[in-house]
Amino acid sequence: MIPPRRLSPRRYAAGLAAALAIVAGSSCQRQASPNAENVVLYCSVDDVLARQVLAEFTQRSGIRVQAKYDTEAGKTTTLISTLLAERHRPRADVFWSSELFGTIRLANEGLLEVYDPPAAADIPQRFRDPDRRWTAFGLRARVLAFNPKKLSKQDLPRRWADLPAARWKGQLALANPLFGTTRGHVAAMFATRGPQAATQYLQSLADNEVRIADGNAAAVRMLARGEVLLAATDTDDVWTAKARGESIDLVYPEMADGGTLWIPNSVAVIRGGPNPQAARELVDFLCSAHVERMLAESLSRNVPVRPPLAEQLNLTLPRQCSVGYAAIAEALPQADAAAREILLR
Amino acid sequence: MPTALAYAVRLANVLLLLLLLAVPAVGLLTSESEQASAPWPAARQWNLFIRTVLLSAGASILAVVWACLVAAGLSLLTRRGGWWLLGPLLVPPYVHAYAWSYVLAPDAVVGRALQACGLAVWTFGQARTLWVWSCWLWPIPALLMLAGWRYGARQNVELAVLDAGPGRAWLRAGMPALLPFAAAGALCCFVLALTNYSVPHLYNVNVFTTDLLAAWQVGDSVPAIAVAGWPVILTALLATAACVLSLGRLGIWSAPPPTPPTRTLLRSWTSAGPVLSALIIVVAVTLIGPLVALVCQLRHLAALWQCFVGFAEPWRTSAVIVVPGVVLAWVIAAASLRRTGRRGQGGVRSAVVLFCWTVLAVVPAVVWGSATIGGYNASAVSQWLYDRAPLVVLVLGLVGRYGWVSAWTGWLTARRLDPALDEQAHLNGATGVQRWARLHVPSAAKPLAVAAILVAALAVTELPISSMLSPPGWQTLSVRTVNLMHYQRDDQVIAIALWMIILAIVAGYFVSRAARRWFE
């Protein structure tokens, strides 16, 4: 039996009041300062990289960035879903995405503000929305990563279409095709090859026992651990692994038109965001050549979309896939449905 | 506790539950959906559901096997319960998964050995998921079996040990009495595995919960996802009901705890050999092995301190979650402590409240989280809360997820209070609120504290809800840790994981002290 114990009412009251005060105080803490000093960013770029860029922005402008990052595996798509849910009263000012297709979807849904950043004047038109709702920069290519100790470049498939060969059965790691750049890659296949051929291709990958990883970096990790021989991933994940001392290299397989799929970062101002002026300043900064240089010199080694800068940094591009980003974005729903049905069983 | 404060606590609990139910309900009802929601899952989803159920069931059975070995060892070797098992239970499942990915990697000793046997174990995502779930969950059935040990099983073994060795006595005489507890533990494990997201996600296994999340992320409407999630919700609720009823039939919920044992049942240390070995093997394989694998991967010890530098945001967020989390969990537990009848009989109201908390727990995180975001954005008032007090939204979300721990603790504790004292207070003219405030709550101070600490610890390590609801500038520790796992920042991940384990052990220690004193 439990003996009753008298506890001081004051202790209960004081404890409860103190805790409630902490809840209220801490939750309102960030909102107390004037909005002009803050900008809210939804960011699907690797947070390790983004934090360096944003710290410099804060240092230069005095504007504090409150960033919401997503988990690496669900990046972009989770933030886009959140932005859609908040559409009637947006909490975010700026969306900085590690890819472009989700941003195009947001633009089509009417969530993005028209803004033509002066800093983006020297960016080629291919990387700018004709209606000026988004700007793209900092390219990464879709590549095949491999372990040079186990394979030589001559052994590797030259085209993505060669991957279903018997030799690579169970030896290819691919990130979840519903998320991030892999999602765009699958959609690009639908845009270049047509739905029927692309669906057959996915089926042949499934038949060839492709290993689905929960992110590009996870696919590279599987390769580094020797679980697979090939990983379909982005250039930045390979450079990061290489810098860590992994035995890893890459090739640029060709899409159906013979080009390489390059996927840029994208940035946009959210329509109706609480801090429009600060948002524009942040977008100006992110589109600037300075940030492109930062991204190129980081571990991620993103290739600048500004040709002179790329040349200056000695970062050359294999020929780009000819299909437009808008066409890839249009193919997304079809590609999602097929990928979910075939690869994620 | 003054009567006014007592009313405030009870009112806060009602408002909290209403808010947690109403916001997602509004989100579901007001969602702009042109998508037809098919009430019957497609063939592909049924396949996933069957896979999920089989994996969860397999993990539950394996967890019970581990638990039997541990419970046998602890019940025979010690006089005290195994409350320390709460420590390992608080280690997040994704830390378990991460550690096991090292143990089973092709270049690791175990991975190489298995490969030599023809088992490329890293390709078996489903088997690894099942294994990691069992390693994470076995403390639950072990704790329940140790509780059951005091309700009859011990007496059986005490008699049997006169004629047989302790291992045989435990197996033949103790185990039959412990079977209902083992079954209840298995059902708990089953529900937790069924709704778990992080382990299959990290091992690239597509199960029902990960598929629902993918559906939301690629733009399926919230109502469509909610409708699609009914098989998991229904199965989890049925399993919970079966668990409660199975233990209720034994009279455990209202029986007073028996007198604690005064001696161990082992006649000598030589007879302790088998049970001691089993205990050591289970703890070493499921807990210490992965922990050692993590520590071995740590290249620089300095990383243990460096994970605080530049990580102010997630640690601060954790601290902010813990304080209100403890308070709200205490409020839920205290309010659930009500004895609805003078004899301590349960009432319809208590059952409804418990049912609501259980529903909040078993609804897949993506359904609850996305509906909550939609609900907060459905009206100007709720949007104000969402914008101006985003941490309140996060804390409410996490407490809503684990409020069931508090609610069930309060409900269970109410049945263990002394009815004579309650009756005496009633005869002396104390009202229901006065008895609750001045008798029940002070008497149950320890279990209320246990519930509060447990909920706070679980909330800090929660992944999907914190990923969806964390406001800008307030990244949570779990999201940062999982991201670092992806970025292959191994030292940082290991350092944070080790700190999480240390915190879990410390929290588990304090909980165990409080729980042991009260329950025993």
Side-chain angles (χ1 to χ4, degrees):
Chain A
M1 299 301 159
I2 309 126
R5 193 159 63 103
R6 281 190 67 83
L7 292 186
S8 158
R10 283 183 188 171
R11 280 171 61 190
Y12 272 115
L16 204 60
L20 290 175
I22 290 171
V23 183
S26 59
S27 56
C28 296
Q29 178 189 330
R30 286 305 181 92
Q31 305 294 335
S33 52
N35 278 345
E37 296 301 319
N38 291 325
V39 61
V40 178
L41 170 72
Y42 280 14
C43 179
S44 71
V45 174
D46 292 0
D47 63 6
V48 177
L49 178 63
R51 279 170 201 276
Q52 295 168 6
V53 175
L54 298 175
E56 179 150 343
F57 171 72
T58 300
Q59 199 178 9
R60 285 184 173 202
S61 64
I63 297 172
R64 190 170 59 181
V65 182
Q66 295 176 32
K68 179 178 170 74
Y69 301 96
D70 194 6
T71 54
E72 209 271 347
K75 64 170 44 175
T76 307
T77 39
T78 307
L79 289 177
I80 286 171
S81 300
T82 308
L83 282 166
L84 288 168
E86 296 170 356
R87 65 190 307 162
H88 297 302
R89 189 177 165 182
R91 181 159 75 175
D93 297 301
V94 176
F95 180 47
W96 177 12
S97 171
S98 56
E99 48 92 34
L100 178 58
F101 313 112
T103 313
I104 293 175
R105 181 183 167 202
L106 289 178
N108 292 339
E109 296 267 358
L111 265 68
L112 303 184
E113 187 74 60
V114 173
Y115 178 58
D116 190 1
D122 55 344
I123 290 180
Q125 290 305 313
R126 175 178 163 79
F127 300 105
R128 304 183 71 190
D129 179 28
D131 297 327
R132 297 295 184 260
R133 292 165 300 180
W134 51 261
T135 309
F137 59 96
L139 298 163
R140 291 169 299 154
R142 289 294 295 172
V143 295
L144 261 184
F146 67 100
N147 183 343
K149 288 182 183 166
K150 294 185 177 173
L151 292 171
S152 69
K153 280 196 178 179
Q154 288 71 30
D155 300 332
L156 295 168
R158 293 185 181 281
R159 300 176 306 153
W160 290 107
D162 298 335
L163 279 172
R167 181 176 180 193
W168 310 118
K169 188 163 189 175
Q171 294 298 336
L172 171 68
L174 176 74
N176 190 321
L178 295 182
F179 307 132
T181 50
T182 311
R183 187 181 183 210
H185 188 179
V186 175
M189 287 179 172
F190 273 73
T192 52
R193 301 162 68 114
Q196 200 175 353
T199 305
Q200 278 173 0
Y201 176 73
L202 292 185
Q203 187 60 55
S204 59
L205 281 182
D207 294 343
N208 216 27
E209 297 174 11
V210 62
R211 304 268 312 275
I212 303 296
D214 70 333
N216 287 317
V220 170
R221 180 185 284 268
M222 288 166 77
L223 174 72
R225 284 181 175 159
E227 297 179 22
V228 289
L229 288 175
L230 300 172
T233 184
D234 298 339
T235 40
D236 61 325
D237 296 300
V238 179
W239 304 136
T240 308
K242 220 170 184 176
R244 214 178 37 252
E246 307 282 4
S247 169
I248 190 168
D249 205 347
L250 61 83
V251 290
Y252 298 90
E254 295 168 357
M255 299 287 288
D257 67 345
T260 299
L261 180 62
W262 288 87
I263 297 178
N265 283 259
S266 58
V267 67
V269 176
I270 302 296
R271 181 187 292 253
N275 310 293
Q277 189 50 43
R280 289 188 179 119
E281 283 189 50
L282 178 58
V283 169
D284 279 343
F285 179 74
L286 292 176
C287 292
S288 66
H290 176 71
V291 168
E292 276 221 298
R293 181 183 284 274
M294 280 182 83
L295 295 178
E297 289 172 348
S298 70
L299 271 184
S300 181
R301 287 174 63 179
N302 290 18
V303 177
V305 294
R306 295 170 169 88
L309 185 59
E311 222 168 271
Q312 190 186 345
L313 294 168
N314 203 19
L315 294 168
T316 51
L317 298 175
R319 185 170 78 80
Q320 289 191 48
C321 174
S322 57
V323 66
Y325 291 122
I328 297 175
E330 267 179 39
L332 274 176
Q334 221 171 4
D336 284 346
R340 203 170 158 203
E341 188 63 35
I342 296 168
L343 294 178
L344 300 177
R345 297 192 73 83
Chain B
M1 185 190 292
T3 311
L5 188 60
Y7 276 117
V9 167
R10 289 162 69 158
L11 181 66
N13 177 59
V14 172
L15 291 177
L16 182 65
L17 189 55
L18 285 178
L19 186 70
L20 290 170
L21 290 169
V23 170
V26 169
L28 284 174
L29 293 173
T30 59
S31 173
E32 295 168 2
S33 171
E34 294 166 4
Q35 194 177 352
S37 33
W40 200 249
R44 175 181 159 280
Q45 285 172 308
W46 278 122
N47 288 340
L48 285 178
F49 177 67
I50 291 166
R51 176 191 296 167
T52 312
V53 168
L54 289 177
L55 283 177
S56 305
S60 308
I61 292 167
L62 192 55
V64 168
V65 171
W66 295 130
C68 284
L69 297 171
V70 172
L74 287 177
S75 54
L76 292 172
L77 286 168
T78 65
R79 284 181 290 118
R80 305 194 162 199
W83 294 104
W84 59 270
L85 293 173
L86 283 167
L89 190 61
L90 294 179
V91 176
Y94 48 85
V95 171
H96 278 277
Y98 187 70
W100 276 104
S101 66
Y102 275 116
V103 176
L104 298 176
D107 53 353
V109 177
V110 178
R112 272 205 305 269
L114 289 169
Q115 196 176 14
C117 302
L119 286 172
V121 74
W122 53 89
T123 60
F124 306 151
Q126 295 179 29
R128 287 199 299 177
T129 302
L130 188 152
W131 175 264
V132 169
W133 274 342
S134 75
C135 293
W136 166 47
L137 291 170
W138 66 256
I140 295 174
L143 280 165
L144 279 171
M145 289 173 77
L146 286 169
W149 174 246
R150 296 191 291 275
Y151 290 94
R154 180 181 170 87
Q155 280 180 327
N156 295 353
V157 175
E158 277 176 339
L159 291 173
V161 86
L162 299 172
D163 295 324
R168 189 176 164 80
W170 198 91
L171 198 64
R172 301 295 294 273
M175 197 56 205
L178 290 176
L179 274 179
F181 295 91
L187 287 168
C188 285
C189 294
F190 179 74
V191 172
L192 287 170
L194 198 68
T195 51
N196 178 256
Y197 156 82
S198 56
V199 176
H201 171 75
L202 282 171
Y203 284 156
N204 317 315
V205 175
N206 205 22
V207 292
F208 209 82
T209 46
T210 56
D211 193 61
L212 289 178
L213 184 65
W216 180 64
Q217 288 175 320
V218 298
D220 282 10
S221 74
V222 178
I225 300 165
V227 170
W230 72 261
V232 163
I233 299 170
L234 185 65
T235 310
L237 284 177
L238 288 175
T240 308
C243 173
V244 173
L245 291 175
S246 66
L247 286 179
R249 284 171 70 89
L250 298 172
I252 300 305
W253 298 136
S254 51
T259 313
T262 52
R263 62 183 178 83
T264 67
L265 285 172
L266 293 175
R267 286 170 293 189
S268 67
W269 277 103
T270 49
S271 63
V275 284
L276 192 60
S277 308
L279 177 64
I280 289 171
I281 288 170
V282 173
V283 173
V285 168
T286 61
L287 297 175
I288 297 173
L291 182 68
V292 170
L294 274 185
V295 174
C296 289
Q297 293 293 328
L298 197 63
R299 291 175 202 167
H300 310 289
L301 273 179
L304 280 173
W305 309 112
Q306 283 165 355
C307 74
F308 289 102
V309 182
F311 283 70
E313 183 180 321
W315 286 111
R316 182 191 56 199
T317 309
S318 300
V320 169
I321 290 171
V322 163
V323 176
V326 163
V327 175
L328 291 177
W330 186 90
V331 166
I332 296 165
S336 306
L337 195 63
R338 296 172 64 183
R339 296 166 67 87
T340 48
R342 278 169 53 195
R343 300 283 175 190
Q345 309 299 320
V348 175
R349 201 164 39 176
S350 293
V352 169
V353 169
L354 280 178
F355 177 76
C356 290
W357 282 115
T358 310
V359 167
L360 286 174
V362 301
V363 168
V366 61
V367 175
W368 200 71
S370 55
T372 299
I373 292 175
Y376 278 117
N377 282 281
S379 75
V381 176
S382 53
Q383 272 176 349
W384 183 88
L385 185 68
Y386 187 71
D387 287 341
R388 295 289 156 186
L391 279 175
V392 170
V393 171
L394 173 65
V395 171
L396 288 179
L398 294 171
V399 169
R401 205 67 193 150
Y402 294 112
W404 64 274
V405 175
S406 283
W408 280 99
T409 306
W411 181 81
L412 183 58
T413 305
R415 269 128 202 89
R416 311 288 284 274
L417 295 171
D418 187 352
L421 283 175
D422 196 47
E423 189 68 23
Q424 187 61 50
H426 177 70
L427 292 174
N428 287 345
T431 64
V433 172
Q434 285 170 335
R435 292 204 306 278
W436 177 79
R438 296 182 181 163
L439 180 63
H440 301 163
V441 171
S443 301
K446 299 272 184 191
L448 297 187
V450 167
I453 295 171
L454 275 178
V455 171
L458 290 167
V460 166
T461 54
E462 201 275 349
L463 181 62
I465 291 292
S466 64
S467 162
M468 295 166 88
L469 295 182
S470 63
W474 292 91
Q475 192 179 43
T476 62
L477 199 57
S478 50
V479 172
R480 176 67 74 89
T481 309
V482 171
N483 274 349
L484 289 170
M485 286 178 185
H486 283 286
Y487 303 146
Q488 303 167 58
R489 303 290 176 114
D490 291 345
D491 265 13
Q492 291 172 338
V493 174
I494 292 165
I496 293 178
L498 290 176
W499 278 114
M500 278 187 177
I501 292 168
I502 290 167
L503 290 177
I505 290 169
V506 170
Y509 172 75
F510 283 113
V511 167
S512 70
R513 276 178 63 89
R516 191 178 62 219
R517 279 195 193 171
W518 199 82
F519 285 109
E520 292 181 4

